Amino acid sequence: MATLFISDLHLDPRRPTIVSLFLDFLERRARRADALYILGDLFEAWIGDDDDAELGHTVAGALRALVESGVPTYFLHGNRDFLVGQGFASASQIQLLPESAVIELVGEAVLLLHGDTLCTDDVEYQAFRAQVRDPAWQAGLLARPLAQRRMLASQLRETSRQATQAKGTEITDVNPMAVEHALRTHGVDHLIHGHTHRPAIHQWILDGRPARRAVLGDWYEQGSVLCCDRAGWRLESLPLPGV
């Protein structure tokens, strides 16, 4: 069996085909895994664990069924679902990870990130990230009525979309020096992250040792999963139903 990694699903009721693909993935492919790691942006937006929208309850139930089948499931916050809290974790039985986590994977230490902290050339985004990750800011947001939070989330998504379109790809991609700094800081040679929507497995020499960085793909036109076992690391695509 393999350990599976996914990110950037951006689940949204307006994209029911992707939601169905993810639920099928949990019921079938993920049931054969040693473990599942979700490295952020599971949802297009998460406005708090008290949200009564159907999608959150459906996904929590499906994740819980996976965990109860014997597959431990871990979640690391992304830039769209940083408000996922202990309420959702309890409902789904997933285990919340810190924003940077080192795990042992097939005998090797591997750093897990969402990936947005590596995009250090995007100074505007990093300032925004610092604001929304501040506990006081989050507490103030969660104190607002759900309707206000939904409106704000919609506004933030549109602002993010426009800002991303206005920036070059070199700005929104990771900074190579930030990648190497993260590896050195955590004392590892391997990294798995999402966020950039540029799936690939990069290999190079860092400080005289082989280094490896896997970038997870998004779930827009298809599903994307990284499978890690003793045979190696493989990025696999999951076709949409009927394709």
Side-chain angles (χ1 to χ4, degrees):
M1 295 194 294
T3 300
L4 306 181
F5 298 84
I6 59 175
S7 73
D8 301 286
L9 290 85
H10 296 269
L11 296 179
D12 189 314
R14 296 171 296 182
R15 299 168 58 234
T17 304
I18 292 298
V19 175
S20 296
L21 178 62
F22 176 59
L23 296 178
D24 181 75
F25 167 77
L26 294 181
E27 292 176 0
R28 299 175 185 272
R29 180 72 175 86
R31 294 291 178 98
R32 305 190 302 272
D34 288 320
L36 172 65
Y37 288 83
I38 305 170
L39 302 189
D41 286 2
L42 174 61
F43 297 98
E44 175 68 7
W46 188 259
I47 60 174
D49 291 352
D50 59 336
D51 189 2
D52 55 4
E54 180 180 356
L55 178 61
H57 295 292
T58 298
V59 171
L63 288 169
R64 186 184 189 102
L66 176 66
V67 174
E68 290 178 345
S69 76
V71 181
T73 302
Y74 305 88
F75 177 85
L76 188 153
H77 296 90
N79 55 293
R80 297 297 184 95
D81 49 21
F82 52 84
L83 290 177
V84 166
Q86 194 55 54
F88 182 81
S90 296
S92 61
Q93 292 297 294
I94 60 174
Q95 300 179 53
L96 300 180
L97 297 175
E99 66 176 33
S100 58
V102 175
I103 65 169
E104 183 177 334
L105 185 62
V106 196
E108 297 178 316
V110 179
L111 173 62
L112 306 181
L113 302 170
H114 174 57
D116 55 342
T117 55
L118 302 173
C119 301
T120 54
D121 293 329
D122 193 344
V123 177
E124 180 182 81
Y125 169 76
Q126 294 301 330
F128 170 77
R129 185 185 189 280
Q131 177 188 24
V132 300
R133 292 301 184 101
D134 179 72
W137 186 93
Q138 293 184 5
L141 177 63
L142 291 173
R144 298 186 183 188
L146 280 172
Q148 288 186 15
R149 279 181 265 162
R150 288 194 181 99
M151 184 179 300
L152 179 59
S154 179
Q155 293 171 350
L156 289 176
R157 288 199 303 271
E158 179 59 23
T159 300
S160 174
R161 184 188 66 81
Q162 294 178 2
T164 300
Q165 289 180 343
K167 297 170 184 174
T169 55
E170 71 281 359
I171 297 297
T172 57
D173 202 356
V174 302
N175 179 296
M177 289 186 292
V179 169
E180 296 189 351
H181 176 73
L183 291 172
R184 291 186 178 111
T185 297
H186 291 88
V188 300
D189 299 318
H190 308 284
L191 166 64
I192 300 173
H193 70 86
H195 182 66
T196 64
H197 301 196
R198 297 176 173 93
I201 298 178
H202 304 273
Q203 299 186 67
W204 74 104
I205 300 298
L206 175 64
D207 299 334
R209 299 186 304 275
R212 178 169 45 176
R213 175 172 69 96
V215 187
L216 307 177
D218 62 59
W219 288 49
Y220 283 128
E221 303 300 328
Q222 60 187 8
S224 179
V225 56
L226 175 69
C227 305
C228 300
D229 56 24
R230 295 192 179 281
W233 293 12
R234 305 175 302 282
L235 281 167
E236 299 180 1
S237 298
L238 307 176
L240 295 175
V243 178

